[in-house]
Amino acid sequence: MAGTLVMKFGGTSVGNAGAMAQAAQIVKDARAEWPRVVVVTSAISGATNLLLDSATRAARGDLSTLVEVETLLLNNHEAIINAQVSDPARQAQLKQEIARMISNFGSLCRAMGVLGEASPRALDAVASLGERMSVRILAGVIESIGVAARAVDSTEFIITNTTFQNAHPDFDATTIKTRAVLNPLLDESIVPVTTGFIGATPDGAVTTLGRGGSDYSAGIIGAVLPADDVWIWTDVDGVMTADPRMVPEARTLPEISYSEVAELAYYGAKVLHPKTVRPVVDEGIGLRICNTFNPTHPGTRLVPNLKTNGKTSKEHVVKAVTAIRKQRMITIEGRGMLGVPGVAARAFGAVASTGTSVPLITQASSEQSICFAVPSESAAPVLSALERAFAAELEDNDIDRVWATEDVSIITVVGAGMRHTPGVSGRVFSQLGDHSVNVLAIAQGSSEVSISMVVESQDTEAAVRSLHELIVK
Ligand code: ADP
Ligand code: ASP
Ligand code: MG
């Protein structure tokens, strides 16, 4: 097949010597079919968490675990080099590079300790080290099995704005640079092995695209090259009817539409970063999710949005169910709100000023309350911002109170056929009722391919498992 393939490996897919060897073999096999292969990889599993935890501890003045973490990171990476890189000179060189990065990590943490502060920019510098280590090793392992490969830091070509920790790519600049950096390697039949998750500002400061963002990196690179296909290699057999960790009987969905998967990802299915889909769909590029540990399984193919014509079979109405935990519902209520102009606009303006995104807004039956979800850790700043924004109305009792619930979960059922099938929400709610799950709030996704419900946190599993029965039935 003539064409360009982008393959992304997640953290577990490169998490130890065996996994890394498996990933390298997958690259070799793909290279036999595709003349141009670009590899994008995450940090080895757990590395990003270790790096970021150490940095936040350091900023609190706690350096007590730093040396231990440095040793752990060094050992984990060296173990892979020892097991899978055959050439001794190459081994030594890789070990030196890893040691340099870990020492860089130590210095950054110690500096944060002195400053007593971890800025988003400094956190990105630390977080980026996981991917910068893994690409070098993966390139070495691929070379060891006879495929020409070269580690490339995506800071050279993914150009972003300065929103550290959640940076947005500048697609024009990224297109030019990505082609300039990757095409010469591809033209020489070298496999570029590049960092997921990270980019750089036009001034060269390292940024990250948000946690789990390596999938997005693969989508961006696929879109700008452009590639024919993007394959996301992970640790499960594709996109499943539910998270198999919560629902052991979950099944792989051989196909799912772009809008369905976008909704699933947005509402918590970690298998694909929610931003991945957009650049790929826009360019009409194929997307597939597959299992590094079961590579002959076809996994899941993303397909164009289904044009349902009312003939959807009953089985396929609800396709998948997912949950996001640790959310709080914020309510603004008061009878006087009816007369207050622009309450909703001002409320969401105040929320936006805290940098919080709102996953769900419920439709109140009257204008006497506004209710929406925010991640639990954002509840306190959001409440303060709202109290400031509505100080006058609270004073005049036009607004009675602004308050947050305890932690709740958002449960979402996804399926494009739902909109043409009467009675789906009835079935969803009676299923929850039959399992004694109390629904605190409801929202229908704007795309009409999903219905979300807010439930108490202790009901999360019961809600997901019971709704999953609607799919299997
Ligand atoms: P990677 O490191 O490869 O990016 P992630 O841990 O980010 O992998 O995502 C894969 C995980 O997503 C799976 O191990 C699974 O537990 C979880 N997951 C959640 N919802 C789903 C779903 N609907 N289908 C498949 N996996 C899911
Ligand atoms: N290593 C990054 C993270 O843990 C990015 C990724 O794995 O996709 O968030
Ligand atoms: Mg992931």
Side-chain angles (χ1 to χ4, degrees):
M1 188 184 297
T4 305
L5 173 64
V6 173
M7 297 207 291
K8 175 261 172 178
F9 293 94
T12 5
S13 301
V14 293
N16 55 42
M20 191 90 67
Q22 177 73 13
Q25 187 59 45
I26 288 171
V27 175
K28 185 171 183 169
D29 293 345
R31 191 58 194 72
E33 306 243 327
W34 296 76
R36 298 161 80 86
V37 174
V38 176
V39 171
V40 178
T41 183
S42 292
I44 69 172
S45 49
T48 313
N49 284 346
L50 280 173
L51 292 164
L52 285 172
D53 287 351
S54 301
T56 35
R57 271 167 185 273
R60 290 200 305 265
D62 175 6
L63 293 170
S64 63
T65 54
L66 183 57
V67 174
E68 203 181 303
V69 172
E70 286 174 319
T71 313
L72 184 64
L73 286 170
L74 193 69
N75 291 344
N76 289 348
H77 287 92
E78 283 197 347
I80 305 176
I81 300 173
N82 288 335
Q84 306 297 354
V85 177
S86 42
D87 176 32
R90 190 85 173 90
Q91 268 199 11
Q93 179 220 343
L94 282 170
K95 285 183 188 173
Q96 212 175 22
E97 288 183 43
I98 299 304
R100 182 168 57 79
M101 293 201 183
I102 290 176
S103 132
N104 185 354
F105 158 63
S107 313
L108 284 164
C109 285
R110 288 183 187 91
M112 288 182 199
V114 172
L115 291 170
E117 177 188 75
S119 65
R121 178 178 174 144
L123 287 172
D124 274 357
V126 170
S128 71
L129 290 166
E131 271 70 11
R132 291 166 63 199
M133 293 193 280
S134 64
V135 280
R136 286 163 171 76
I137 302 179
L138 182 56
V141 177
I142 294 172
E143 271 182 343
S144 291
I145 57 167
V147 178
R150 175 95 41 89
V152 186
D153 286 330
S154 59
T155 46
E156 285 184 38
F157 58 84
I158 304 259
I159 307 303
T160 73
N161 64 7
T162 55
T163 311
F164 293 98
Q165 299 194 290
N166 191 22
H168 185 72
D170 170 342
F171 277 91
D172 291 337
T174 299
T175 303
I176 296 167
K177 292 236 178 188
T178 305
R179 291 179 184 170
V181 174
L182 300 185
N183 279 338
L185 295 172
L186 293 167
D187 291 344
E188 282 184 62
S189 298
I190 296 170
V191 174
V193 181
T194 191
T195 49
F197 185 45
I198 71 179
T201 65
D203 299 340
V206 181
T207 54
T208 66
L209 307 177
R211 292 305 306 271
S214 294
D215 300 329
Y216 187 29
S217 306
I220 298 167
I221 295 169
V224 303
L225 270 173
D228 296 279
D229 249 18
V230 174
W231 296 357
I232 306 285
W233 291 92
T234 183
D235 57 2
V236 286
D237 290 335
V239 179
M240 305 178 77
T241 49
D243 185 347
R245 291 183 210 196
M246 202 187 287
V247 183
E249 59 277 18
R251 290 181 280 107
T252 298
L253 292 160
E255 285 188 349
I256 186 166
S257 71
Y258 291 113
S259 62
E260 289 170 326
V261 86
E263 210 76 355
L264 259 188
Y266 182 74
Y267 284 108
K270 201 183 160 204
V271 64
L272 193 69
H273 190 282
K275 289 186 183 164
T276 316
V277 174
R278 182 72 189 276
V280 174
V281 190
D282 286 352
E283 297 299 320
I285 293 162
L287 185 61
R288 195 184 145 200
I289 324 285
C290 29
N291 190 348
T292 304
F293 307 100
N294 189 13
T296 53
H297 190 289
T300 301
R301 249 294 159 198
L302 273 283
V303 293
N305 295 338
L306 303 168
K307 292 209 175 40
T308 44
N309 50 11
K311 289 196 210 132
T312 330
S313 68
K314 198 174 160 199
E315 296 76 25
H316 295 117
V317 172
V318 176
K319 265 200 176 164
V321 52
T322 181
I324 327 183
R325 294 169 192 270
K326 291 205 166 47
Q327 302 290 306
R328 293 196 178 184
M329 298 301 291
I330 308 276
T331 305
I332 306 169
E333 64 186 21
R335 297 215 194 157
M337 271 171 57
L338 259 174
V340 179
V343 177
R346 283 164 60 202
F348 291 111
V351 176
S353 73
T354 66
T356 304
S357 61
V358 173
L360 172 146
I361 303 170
T362 68
Q363 288 119 348
S365 55
S366 72
E367 281 186 47
Q368 292 173 16
S369 72
I370 295 175
C371 184
F372 53 90
V374 297
S376 296
E377 73 272 9
S378 307
V382 165
L383 285 180
S384 324
L386 289 169
E387 280 159 7
R388 275 197 306 278
F390 292 111
E393 287 79 5
L394 284 161
E395 173 81 30
D396 295 346
N397 293 324
D398 283 337
I399 289 177
D400 297 329
R401 61 179 188 143
V402 177
W403 59 285
T405 60
E406 292 298 300
D407 280 7
V408 294
S409 295
I410 300 175
I411 311 295
T412 303
V413 288
V414 173
M418 295 196 306
R419 78 180 98 174
H420 294 296
T421 314
V424 177
S425 15
R427 279 215 295 285
V428 165
F429 295 118
S430 49
Q431 184 73 0
L432 292 175
D434 291 349
H435 290 80
S436 310
V437 174
N438 186 22
V439 176
L440 306 173
I442 308 162
Q444 169 132 25
S446 54
S447 63
E448 291 185 56
V449 307
S450 71
I451 303 172
S452 294
M453 288 134 295
V454 179
V455 305
E456 282 169 28
S457 11
Q458 76 260 23
D459 289 337
T460 312
E461 274 91 2
V464 170
R465 291 205 188 106
S466 61
L467 292 175
H468 191 261
E469 288 172 14
L470 292 179
I471 306 172
V472 187
K473 258 182 204 160

